[in-house]
């Protein structure tokens, strides 16, 4: 029997919204502060998924912009649907997280998954995790998690529903509570499936950490009453600490060839209930319908690392290695795997592929602490063990001009091997600087460098990272082993005191704290997974 190994989207791919249109399957995932926003993947068989689009790719797609947004804010939990010959995407730009949440919910449409996507319409700001439900009577509904800022209330106020006008793209009629959740607590990510005369409501429950779960309720009408499933919860690892797919929840139904599955969020800790450097990922579980209720095909509510593939997939083999070699050329776009922070970078202003053919030139920008505009390109970690390396040609004129190779979680958590100039010895130097929330420390001594090109490499293996450099000889270690597991939701949450939602990245960057006029040239970025 053909099998699928989870996760199907490894490395920082959370909040999957699955969609079936004709012979095609799509998954939309959250990107938070990373740009372009909202990743959409495509498959024909649920086994192999290829990147298809990042629809939030124009500045006007987020009218309030992401610049200045807090870490782990911005673009949360998209929902993808199809109706009236259009793809519909709803998403939230989260601007604040205190006693208040500023949650701006937008809707966009496109005739094809690759666009062009319409200008966004602001629908509401009452909560997050919005979804559209297109009923078979032609009516449309907007679902949302309502947030209550009043101090005497718990914040999460259940799920609400309101009719949606697809022409004006505005809410009509009265908003009403229609489901307040279960004993598992916080009810998020509401999605509705209509099947065999029943409305099935699939919700995320219990927060986003190790107590996360997915639950199901059903009703004959959208007005209810809603009955909770006897198979409760549908999915969780909260009572199974040894399960490799922890934090499982936030699910979505998908059908292929008469078989049913759910996509769902998960995370793989390095140790039991420990740090998850790959962030929250997307997995797949097979379900069966029993007495009109969905339940996992394995007869439990625990996710499985390996599941049976759909019969419709045939004997297709799952591709598991996401290694990538990136070369730079004037006539070649940067790969979709390269992400920037909070805003797109402008060709020939922030970077150039033409100034030095065969190299990517980065013009020094703001520091790694900036919530505004950095000159940084980074890609996800997609495996626990990998090597990333790059060649750099950089001639800094002073200590404020910096460039190098970085392991990055957010603006408060990173490990940076950087080249700069030390005027005290009149030479370039290479050193590691580490940011651990608000604590800055050096991770190595400063190494004087000869003139010319320098190669940098980092080898990540689970909780450890080792940097290396090569000048005019072989590879030399730079500093001692660095704590790679600190670049995780779990570690960052303990330091920050509130939720963190993204995942570890590796990338290249340049800063100029002087006149923003220096540049660094990078050749051939390699990301190689070790299997």
């Amino acid at each position: 029997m053909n099998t699928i190994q989870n996760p199907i989207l490894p490395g920082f791919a959370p909040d999957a919204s699955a969609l079936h249109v004709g012979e095609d399957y799509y998954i939309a995932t959250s990107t938070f502060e990373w740009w372009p926003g909202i990743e959409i993947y495509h498959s024909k068989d649920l086994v192999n998924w290829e990147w298809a689009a990042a629809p939030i790719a124009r500045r006007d797609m987020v009218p309030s912009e992401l610049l200045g947004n807090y870490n782990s804010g911005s673009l949360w939990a998209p929902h993808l649907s199809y109706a009236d010959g259009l793809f519909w995407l709803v998403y939230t730009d989260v601007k604040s997280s205190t006693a208040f949440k500023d949650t701006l919910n937008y809707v966009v449409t496109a005739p094809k998954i690759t666009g062009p996507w319409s200008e966004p319409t602001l629908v509401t700001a009452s909560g997050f995790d919005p979804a559209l439900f297109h009923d078979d009577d032609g009516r449309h509904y907007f679902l949302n998690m309502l947030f209550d800022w009043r101090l005497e209330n718990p914040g999460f106020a259940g799920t609400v529903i309101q009719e949606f006008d697809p022409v004006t793209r505005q809410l009509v009629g009265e908003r009403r509570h229609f489901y307040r959740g279960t004993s598992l607590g916080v009810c998020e990510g509401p999605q509705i499936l209509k099947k065999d005369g029943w409305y099935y409501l699939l919700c995320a429950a219990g927060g986003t950490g190790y107590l996360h779960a997915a639950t199901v309720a059903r009703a004959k009408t959208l007005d209810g009453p809603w009955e909770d499933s006897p198979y409760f919860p549908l999915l969780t690892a909260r009572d199974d600490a040894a399960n490799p797919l922890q934090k499982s929840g936030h699910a979505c139904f998908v059908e292929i060839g008469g078989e049913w599955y759910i996509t769902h969020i998960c995370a793989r800790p390095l140790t039991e209930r420990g740090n998850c450097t790959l962030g929250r990922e997307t997995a797949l579980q097979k379900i069966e319908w029993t007495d009109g209720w969905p339940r996992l095909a394995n007869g439990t509510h625990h996710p499985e690392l390996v599941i049976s593939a759909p019969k419709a997939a045939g004997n297709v083999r799952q591709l598991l290695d996401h290694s990538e070699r990136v070369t730079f050329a004037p006539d070649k776009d940067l790969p979709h795997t390269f992400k920037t922070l909070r805003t797109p970078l402008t060709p020939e202003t922030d970077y150039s592929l033409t100034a030095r053919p065969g190299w990517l030139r980065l013009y020094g920008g703001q520091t790694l602490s900036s919530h505004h505009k950095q000159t940084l390109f980074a890609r996800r970690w997609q495996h626990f063990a990998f090597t990333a390396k790059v060649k750099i040609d950089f001639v800094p004129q002073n200590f404020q001009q910096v460039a190098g190779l970085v392991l990055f979680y957010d603006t408060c958590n990173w490990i940076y091997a950087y080249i700069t100039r030390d005027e005290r010895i009149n030479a370039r130097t290479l050193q590691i600087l580490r940011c651990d929330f608000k604590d800055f420390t050096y991770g190595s001594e400063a190494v004087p460098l000869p003139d010319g090109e320098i190669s940098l490499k980092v080898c990540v293996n689970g909780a450890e990272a080792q940097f290396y450099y090569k000048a005019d000889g072989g590879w030399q270690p730079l500093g001692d082993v660095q704590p790679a597991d600190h670049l995780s939701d779990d570690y960052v949450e303990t330091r920050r005191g509130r939720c963190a939602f993204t995942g570890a990245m590796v990338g290249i960057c340049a800063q100029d704290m002087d006149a923003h006029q220096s540049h660094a040239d990078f050749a051939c970025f390699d990301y190689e997974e070790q299997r």
Side-chain angles (χ1 to χ4, degrees):
M1 179 181 293
N2 201 19
T3 59
I4 297 174
Q5 180 174 316
N6 278 312
I8 54 171
L9 297 180
F12 178 25
D15 306 326
S17 172
L19 176 66
H20 175 202
V21 180
E23 297 180 350
D24 299 295
Y25 296 84
Y26 303 98
I27 286 177
T29 64
S30 300
T31 50
F32 298 89
E33 63 261 39
W34 291 97
W35 188 276
I38 311 299
E39 303 273 38
I40 298 178
Y41 299 86
H42 170 254
S43 178
K44 290 284 190 180
D45 50 30
L46 303 189
V47 179
N48 290 307
W49 295 85
E50 294 183 348
W51 182 89
I56 315 304
R58 308 188 313 265
R59 284 189 173 93
D60 68 353
M61 301 292 279
V62 187
S64 58
E65 296 196 329
L66 304 183
L67 295 175
N69 282 7
Y70 73 98
N71 290 325
S72 286
S74 299
L75 301 176
W76 285 19
H79 182 264
L80 187 64
S81 59
Y82 187 82
D84 304 330
L86 293 172
F87 288 94
W88 297 76
L89 181 70
V90 290
Y91 55 97
T92 308
D93 176 16
V94 182
K95 315 298 287 187
S96 65
S97 180
T98 61
F100 301 98
K101 281 189 183 294
D102 291 284
T103 53
L104 309 180
N105 295 310
Y106 297 100
V107 60
V108 293
T109 59
K112 298 189 296 184
I113 204 70
T114 53
W117 290 89
S118 67
E119 292 184 4
T121 300
L122 178 66
V123 180
T124 180
S126 62
F128 53 87
D129 286 9
L132 281 174
F133 172 62
H134 312 281
D135 209 343
D136 52 17
D137 62 1
R139 300 174 75 179
H140 306 257
Y141 297 89
F142 191 86
L143 316 176
N144 212 354
M145 194 293 303
L146 186 65
F147 189 80
D148 189 337
W149 63 269
R150 292 170 293 184
L151 302 185
E152 67 272 22
N153 291 334
F156 293 90
T159 55
V160 292
I161 189 168
Q162 194 167 357
E163 194 161 354
F164 176 81
D165 186 330
V167 177
T168 64
R169 302 189 179 182
Q170 295 295 319
L171 299 175
V172 296
E174 293 185 4
R175 180 181 75 195
R176 65 185 186 276
H177 273 94
F178 75 113
Y179 188 71
R180 292 187 180 270
T182 68
S183 59
L184 297 183
V186 179
C187 180
E188 304 173 83
Q191 301 178 51
I192 290 178
L193 166 73
K194 192 171 186 181
K195 181 180 185 295
D196 301 329
W198 289 95
Y199 294 91
Y200 291 90
L201 174 64
L202 184 56
C203 285
T208 59
Y210 284 108
L211 299 182
H212 200 38
T215 64
V216 176
R218 74 179 185 183
K220 278 294 186 180
T221 72
L222 290 175
D223 291 325
W226 291 90
E227 174 191 6
D228 289 331
S229 172
Y231 305 108
F232 173 80
L234 172 66
L235 171 74
T236 191
R238 62 190 287 147
D239 58 348
D240 185 8
N243 194 301
L245 300 180
Q246 291 292 309
K247 306 182 184 179
S248 289
H250 201 118
C252 189
F253 291 116
V254 63
E255 181 269 338
I256 178 170
E259 295 182 284
W260 285 85
Y261 290 79
I262 53 169
T263 60
H264 69 93
I265 209 169
C266 70
R268 293 176 290 165
L270 295 171
T271 58
E272 189 169 298
R273 296 280 164 92
N275 294 336
C276 305
T277 52
L278 301 186
R280 298 176 303 151
E281 308 170 284
T282 292
L284 189 73
Q285 302 296 326
K286 189 172 184 180
I287 64 171
E288 296 175 345
W289 294 86
T290 303
D291 299 325
W293 290 102
R295 66 180 305 189
L296 295 188
N298 64 19
T300 76
H301 54 240
H302 295 146
E304 293 183 304
L305 192 64
V306 178
I307 63 168
S308 59
K311 295 182 179 64
N315 293 319
V316 63
R317 183 178 179 182
Q318 186 179 11
L319 303 177
L320 299 175
D321 192 332
H322 298 274
S323 299
E324 177 181 38
R325 182 177 178 83
V326 181
T327 57
F328 305 114
D331 59 349
K332 185 179 179 182
D333 292 334
L334 293 175
H336 70 83
T337 50
F338 273 29
K339 310 291 284 183
T340 61
L341 274 171
R342 294 179 173 83
T343 189
L345 296 182
T346 305
E348 309 309 326
T349 299
D350 302 313
Y351 72 94
S352 176
L353 289 165
T354 62
R356 185 178 178 182
W359 295 71
L360 171 63
R361 175 162 293 179
L362 300 186
Y363 295 100
Q366 297 175 23
T367 71
L368 290 175
S369 294
S370 176
H371 285 217
H372 292 269
K373 190 174 183 181
Q374 298 190 29
T375 308
L376 177 148
F377 288 103
R379 58 110 65 220
R380 294 169 173 83
W381 301 9
Q382 292 183 276
H383 193 57
F384 291 114
F386 68 88
T387 296
K389 60 183 177 181
V390 70
K391 183 185 293 184
I392 305 178
D393 194 357
F394 179 44
V395 187
Q397 300 302 305
N398 59 54
F399 73 95
Q400 292 180 302
Q401 298 173 354
V402 182
L405 178 66
V406 66
L407 298 177
F408 191 94
Y409 180 87
D410 62 19
T411 62
C412 295
N413 299 272
W414 40 261
I415 308 171
Y416 188 19
Y418 66 93
I419 299 170
T420 188
R421 187 167 192 84
D422 189 337
E423 73 282 2
R424 295 168 296 188
I425 61 173
N426 194 30
R428 293 188 305 167
T429 59
L430 173 65
Q431 193 166 17
I432 295 173
L433 179 63
R434 192 163 72 231
C435 180
D436 188 330
F437 191 44
K438 296 181 180 179
D439 299 328
F440 289 82
T441 56
Y442 288 118
S444 74
E445 299 294 328
V447 177
L449 295 175
D451 293 339
E453 300 167 1
I454 302 295
S455 293
L456 295 179
K457 176 173 70 173
V458 63
C459 297
V460 173
N461 186 13
E464 299 181 341
Q466 177 67 63
F467 284 87
Y468 299 86
Y469 71 99
K470 182 169 65 174
D472 49 10
W475 288 104
Q476 300 292 324
L478 178 64
D480 296 324
V481 169
Q482 305 298 317
D485 61 327
H486 287 192
L487 304 180
S488 64
D489 296 347
D490 317 87
Y491 179 83
V492 171
E493 285 178 7
T494 63
R495 297 285 280 133
R496 182 182 294 163
R498 63 173 175 80
C499 291
F501 295 132
T502 57
M505 311 282 280
V506 57
I508 53 178
C509 54
Q511 298 81 32
D512 189 336
M513 293 158 270
D514 184 12
H516 283 201
Q517 292 181 350
S518 63
H519 67 262
D521 293 339
F522 296 80
C524 196
F525 180 86
D526 284 322
Y527 167 83
E528 184 179 358
E529 297 178 355
Q530 309 300 314
R531 295 182 179 272

